[in-house]
């Protein structure tokens, strides 16, 4: 089983739609959780950290369920500029070691 | 956020040769990380570059294939040795940012023929 699993997509949605991505992780000792965004042929960039209480940043909402080892990202009112690959990232071993999921590709269309 | 530059940004190399990738940060950082992203895949950590000591390699990666230097707190190099087409990837360096987050350089796109 992969340490971090995501549905690869692609998710093709119309502009203005709400879309949700899910991610599961295998190591119950994982401590920190993130969503990164990666545009085509670019480096990953931090979108948001994920906290146990859930957190929201504008149109983006991230949630963590430690009992189920599950992380989610909700994007409301999708924009064309949201088209990218969204990477679920987990700090699995303490320190600064990050484990990346394979990413979920989002395509927002007119 | 830190400003990270990588050189070269891309290269095309012949099999059997070696390429050294440079990563420069505009501020001092205790750790620097080297990742590989193979075509269509996600990022895999190669090693952690420590200043003043040997790099710490992840399972599946060895020093002979990926020697790393870390001469000071703002600079590191990764060498991809005796390259084969399977080494064609994007190689990225990163530095810690915030609480357990990492900030990535622009990457080096390597194609091995």
């Amino acid at each position: 089983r992969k340490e971090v699993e995501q549905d690869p997509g692609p998710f093709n949605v119309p502009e203005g739609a709400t879309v949700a991505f899910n991610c599961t992780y295998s190591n119950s000792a994982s401590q920190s959780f993130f969503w990164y965004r990666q545009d085509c042929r670019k480096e990953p960039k931090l979108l948001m950290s994920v906290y146990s209480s859930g957190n929201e940043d504008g149109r983006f909402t991230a949630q963590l369920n430690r009992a189920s080892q599950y992380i989610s990202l909700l994007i409301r009112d999708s924009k064309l500029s949201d088209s990218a690959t969204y990477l679920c990232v987990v700090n699995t071993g303490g320190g600064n070691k990050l484990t990346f999921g394979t990413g979920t590709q989002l395509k927002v269309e007119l | 956020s830190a400003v990270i530059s990588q050189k070269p940004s891309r290269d095309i190399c012949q099999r059997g040769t070696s390429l050294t990738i440079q990563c420069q940060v505009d501020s001092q950082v205790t750790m620097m990380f080297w990742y590989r992203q193979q075509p269509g895949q996600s990022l895999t950590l190669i090693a952690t570059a420590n200043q003043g000591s040997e790099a710490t390699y992840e399972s599946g990666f060895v020093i002979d294939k990926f020697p790393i230097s870390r001469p000071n707190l703002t600079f590191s190099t990764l060498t991809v040795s005796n390259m084969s087409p399977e080494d064609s990837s994007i190689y990225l360096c990163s530095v810690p940012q915030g609480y357990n987050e990492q900030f990535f350089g622009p990457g080096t796109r390597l194609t091995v023929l």
Side-chain angles (χ1 to χ4, degrees):
Chain A
R1 182 185 173 188
K2 290 182 181 176
E3 287 189 70
V4 181
E5 294 205 62
Q6 295 181 250
D7 182 340
F11 284 57
N12 298 318
V13 303
E15 204 174 14
T18 295
V19 61
F21 304 140
N22 302 319
C23 169
T24 58
Y25 61 95
S26 62
N27 189 335
S28 59
S30 299
Q31 300 173 356
S32 307
F33 310 89
F34 311 96
W35 284 100
Y36 276 72
R37 169 189 170 135
Q38 186 172 26
D39 291 281
C40 187
R41 306 177 81 83
K42 297 285 189 181
E43 73 276 19
K45 295 184 179 178
L46 179 67
L47 177 66
M48 58 197 305
S49 301
V50 187
Y51 304 121
S52 296
S53 55
N55 47 302
E56 187 174 308
D57 183 2
R59 298 181 293 110
F60 299 85
T61 301
Q63 292 200 312
L64 167 65
N65 184 323
R66 285 189 182 271
S68 301
Q69 295 180 204
Y70 171 96
I71 305 159
S72 66
L73 176 68
L74 184 76
I75 304 176
R76 292 180 298 278
D77 189 23
S78 300
K79 311 290 185 192
L80 294 175
S81 57
D82 294 333
S83 298
T85 296
Y86 290 84
L87 302 168
C88 178
V89 184
V90 177
N91 179 302
T92 55
N96 291 102
K97 181 177 176 180
L98 299 182
T99 300
F100 285 75
T102 53
T104 298
Q105 188 178 10
L106 172 66
K107 297 181 181 178
V108 182
E109 304 164 331
L110 286 172
Chain B
S1 299
V3 176
I4 304 176
S5 61
Q6 285 187 233
K7 290 182 181 180
S9 59
R10 60 179 61 236
D11 208 340
I12 300 173
C13 301
Q14 296 296 321
R15 68 171 68 209
T17 63
S18 298
L19 176 72
T20 295
I21 302 167
Q22 299 178 4
C23 179
Q24 178 76 55
V25 190
D26 69 340
S27 57
Q28 293 185 341
V29 291
T30 52
M31 287 183 285
M32 296 174 75
F33 305 93
W34 286 100
Y35 288 82
R36 178 176 73 181
Q37 186 172 28
Q38 293 176 300
Q41 304 295 315
S42 193
L43 282 75
T44 301
L45 180 63
I46 297 172
T48 302
N50 307 301
Q51 198 271 332
S53 63
E54 273 197 4
T56 305
Y57 289 84
E58 297 300 309
S59 175
F61 297 96
V62 295
I63 188 171
D64 289 346
K65 176 66 177 177
F66 297 102
I68 287 171
S69 79
R70 183 83 199 276
N72 57 55
L73 292 175
T74 63
F75 186 79
S76 177
T77 68
L78 170 76
T79 298
V80 186
S81 304
N82 188 25
M83 289 184 285
S84 67
E86 292 70 36
D87 294 320
S88 297
S89 291
I90 301 172
Y91 291 86
L92 301 115
C93 67
S94 72
V95 300
Q97 174 180 283
Y99 179 69
N100 283 341
E101 300 148 13
Q102 289 180 21
F103 184 76
F104 287 84
T108 296
R109 187 175 297 272
L110 171 63
T111 301
V112 184
L113 301 177

